[in-house]
Amino acid sequence: MIESAWELRRILLAATLVEEATEERAKTALALPWNVIVHDDPVTLMSYVTMVLKRLFAYPQAKAHALMMEVHESGRAVVWTGGAEEAEMYVQKLHGYQLLATMERVD
Amino acid sequence: MPALSWRPDGSFRLDPLPAWLFELLAELPELLASEDEAVRARWAPRPADDPERCADWERLVVPELFHLIASSKEIVETDLEAVVELPDRPGSEPLFSLEVPRVHVDAWIHALNAARLALGELFELEATDLDGELHAPAGPRELAIEKVHLYGWIQHQLVEGGARP
């Protein structure tokens, strides 16, 4: 039971601090970089994957080819790293090209 | 054996197509209209492990992905309906010619890719299925592999051709 106006202010201040800490953690989480990952599949053409990486990320041929080979040989490759919103946009565009793509927070 | 020829305006022609080959191409719209659950899951994969992000994705992004496939299907259908029989072949088996304008090339790349993925899911194809030599199709699965190779050959020509200045 709240016994004084001071105690009420103390409780409200504690609640505000908790809320601010939660918001700060959320902002920090969003600020952490995210990896955009392309995964291998048995059907998609290697030339198509290279084309998509060049078109979407403006990578030169050599880099796009190297990433495609990493997908092909390792099963997956990190093709881009950055903020969450941009990572979502890239995953959406990669899905538009029908590549298997996901986003993961950088460790 | 058909050849894919590029024109200076960026359009291409694929011919001569024997009837059986044209019929395989004519199956593209049906593949792109697949209602198979595994096919549609492959066409719209999950973006992350996060269930909340996936729920938003399902609501906001997935309809757009299927709209893209439907648009590609419409364009491919239009071009297939315009296929013409090559003239001056009296008494011979008919041969056909497919012409695709430059503005449709990306849609064909998209459609061929989606169709290959659909076949991959419908017949649970693995990389080892697609690495072997082609033989005369003995059944539906082998025919599916033939189609994956055919569509892949065309798609590769279009991808490489798009790299031309």
Side-chain angles (χ1 to χ4, degrees):
Chain A
M1 180 172 152
I2 298 170
E3 294 189 348
S4 68
W6 181 84
E7 189 176 353
L8 174 61
R9 282 201 296 275
R10 185 177 66 81
I11 290 168
L12 290 173
L13 178 61
T16 304
L17 289 173
V18 167
E19 187 180 331
E20 282 178 1
T22 304
E23 276 186 20
E24 192 55 42
R25 277 198 298 275
K27 282 182 192 170
T28 303
L30 283 174
L32 285 174
W34 287 73
N35 285 330
V36 172
I37 296 151
V38 170
H39 302 262
D40 189 35
D41 78 71
V43 173
T44 303
L45 293 177
M46 294 162 69
S47 58
Y48 181 68
V49 174
T50 304
M51 179 202 85
V52 171
L53 294 177
K54 284 168 65 177
R55 274 196 190 181
L56 205 50
F57 300 102
Y59 290 153
Q61 169 70 24
K63 179 170 182 175
H65 179 80
L67 286 170
M68 177 277 295
M69 287 305 296
E70 188 179 342
V71 172
H72 179 63
E73 291 171 349
S74 305
R76 53 177 271 164
V78 175
V79 298
W80 186 87
T81 301
E85 276 190 31
E86 216 172 343
E88 271 193 7
M89 183 268 297
Y90 279 130
V91 172
Q92 180 178 349
K93 291 192 174 186
L94 286 164
H95 283 194
Y97 282 104
Q98 297 150 20
L99 295 195
L100 283 173
T102 56
M103 53 189 290
E104 296 175 359
R105 193 174 284 128
V106 174
D107 289 332
Chain B
M1 184 65 189
L4 195 146
S5 314
W6 288 98
R7 291 210 175 89
D9 66 359
S11 64
F12 74 86
R13 188 176 72 227
L14 181 64
D15 66 18
L17 292 165
W20 66 268
L21 203 48
F22 171 53
E23 283 169 17
L24 292 184
L25 284 180
E27 292 181 18
L28 281 170
E30 187 180 339
L31 282 166
L32 298 175
S34 177
E35 294 287 329
D36 181 89
E37 206 172 298
V39 171
R40 292 178 74 80
R42 176 57 188 87
W43 283 344
R46 293 166 61 90
D49 291 332
D50 175 7
E52 190 176 328
R53 190 181 299 277
C54 290
D56 288 342
W57 202 263
E58 185 73 29
R59 189 168 52 87
L60 298 170
V61 175
V62 168
E64 186 56 34
L65 297 177
F66 287 121
H67 176 73
L68 277 173
I69 292 175
S71 297
S72 299
K73 172 179 171 290
E74 276 183 30
I75 288 171
V76 164
E77 274 177 324
T78 300
D79 292 335
L80 287 171
E81 284 166 8
V83 160
V84 295
E85 187 173 341
L86 291 173
D88 302 325
R89 295 183 52 79
S92 302
E93 288 191 24
L95 294 174
F96 300 91
S97 179
L98 167 70
E99 303 220 1
V100 174
R102 182 182 62 82
V103 292
H104 289 183
V105 171
D106 270 2
W108 270 86
I109 292 174
H110 191 266
L112 289 163
N113 198 67
R116 297 179 82 244
L117 293 175
L119 288 166
E121 293 300 322
L122 290 170
F123 292 91
E124 297 178 358
L125 300 180
E126 301 288 341
T128 47
D129 293 317
L130 303 175
D131 285 345
E133 288 184 6
L134 292 177
H135 300 285
R141 185 182 171 81
E142 288 77 17
L143 183 56
I145 293 171
E146 291 269 316
K147 291 178 199 174
V148 169
H149 282 297
L150 168 65
Y151 300 157
W153 176 79
I154 299 171
Q155 185 188 4
H156 180 73
Q157 303 288 314
L158 299 185
V159 165
E160 294 296 298
R164 288 147 46 105

